[in-house]
Amino acid sequence: NAGVTQTPKFRILKIGQSMTLQCAQDMNHNYMYWYRQDPGMGLKLIYYSVGAGITDKGEVPNGYNVSRSTTEDFPLRLELAAPSQTSVYFCASSYGFGTGANEAFFGQGTRLTVV
Amino acid sequence: KNEVEQSPQNLTAQEGEFITINCSYSVGISALHWLQQHPGGGIVSLFMLSSGKKKHGRLIATINIQEKHSSLHITASHPRDSAVYICAVPIQGAQKLVFGQGTRLTINP
């Protein structure tokens, strides 16, 4: 099983450039998430989706956009990169956490540097 | 106040020592998650628990729902246990998780 696949693993952007972080899962999970992890800080939720066609903002959505056209894919778009977006980005997916029986699966992360 | 608080933030120990990492939370939950993140690596789920205790090898997780507290223990610690350990709880109708800030564990040989 591939699980959650994130690409790229590393990227350096110049200020003002755009890019899309790709995330795909093959577990038929309804719930997908994008987090950023700054040094010494906990994971902060950027956007999440509870199913195809449905997305919602998390704690830190400014500067990002998402779409969810299929169950499998949940790309994260940075339109005008800023140094404050230098971080490690993680995509995750789950069946949801309501029953307590469903774990979260994470991608390997994308280390993004904006210079 | 954060909904999830972990302690300690950093922990250094010698190989073989018994390790305890604590997690306190302020919301009612269906289950608590413990995650592990190796340096430069991805994040993997270690445990989900809603009551009592779970054990995987040398790792043991306990939870006290009434006290809103969970602990992660590592017996006979080894340098390969060096990682960041993160606890997380579901919020907002269990649609998403909120995370503690993590505990950075270093086990010296």
Side-chain angles (χ1 to χ4, degrees), chain A residues 4-102:
Chain A
V4 179
T5 303
Q6 260 184 264
T7 56
K9 285 194 168 62
F10 303 94
R11 184 72 186 267
I12 298 175
L13 279 182
K14 292 185 179 176
I15 294 171
Q17 285 186 322
S18 301
M19 77 165 294
T20 299
L21 282 66
Q22 301 291 345
C23 177
Q25 52 91 10
D26 61 358
M27 295 169 282
N28 204 32
H29 287 161
N30 284 334
Y31 292 80
M32 294 188 75
Y33 308 86
W34 274 106
Y35 298 96
R36 60 178 287 172
Q37 185 182 42
D38 299 323
M41 305 293 286
L43 290 155
K44 298 292 185 187
L45 182 64
I46 304 171
Y47 271 95
Y48 70 106
S49 170
V50 302
I54 306 169
T55 61
D56 208 348
K57 295 177 181 178
E59 302 168 80
V60 289
N62 291 342
Y64 307 95
N65 278 301
V66 294
S67 59
R68 183 97 181 270
S69 57
T70 66
T71 299
E72 294 78 18
D73 299 299
F74 191 41
L76 177 72
R77 179 86 179 156
L78 283 72
E79 288 295 348
L80 290 168
S84 61
Q85 293 178 303
T86 294
S87 190
V88 181
Y89 292 83
F90 288 96
C91 178
S93 72
S94 171
Y95 285 120
F97 305 113
T99 66
N102 298 320

Side-chain angles (χ1 to χ4, degrees), chain B residues 54-73:
Chain B
K54 284 191 175 180
K55 185 174 187 287
H56 290 160
R58 295 180 295 104
L59 272 60
I60 304 166
T62 64
I63 190 167
N64 185 316
I65 294 289
Q66 287 74 30
E67 295 187 2
K68 293 191 168 77
H69 182 268
S70 176
S71 293
L72 177 68
H73 305 285

Side-chain angles (χ1 to χ4, degrees), chain A residues 31 33 35 37 40-43 45 48 50 56-58 90 96-109 111, chain B residues 2 9 30-31 33 35 37 40-45 48-49 84 86 90 92-102 104:
Chain A
Y31 292 80
Y33 308 86
Y35 298 96
Q37 185 182 42
M41 305 293 286
L43 290 155
L45 182 64
Y48 70 106
V50 302
D56 208 348
K57 295 177 181 178
F90 288 96
F97 305 113
T99 66
N102 298 320
E103 64 182 287
F105 293 82
F106 288 81
Q108 285 297 302
R111 187 172 296 275
Chain B
N2 291 335
Q9 289 194 25
S30 54
H33 299 245
L35 309 164
Q37 183 179 22
I43 299 169
V44 296
S45 178
M48 289 179 299
L49 66 166
V84 175
I86 304 166
Q92 196 166 318
Q95 289 188 343
K96 45 187 179 173
L97 294 176
V98 62
F99 297 84
Q101 74 273 39
R104 184 174 300 276

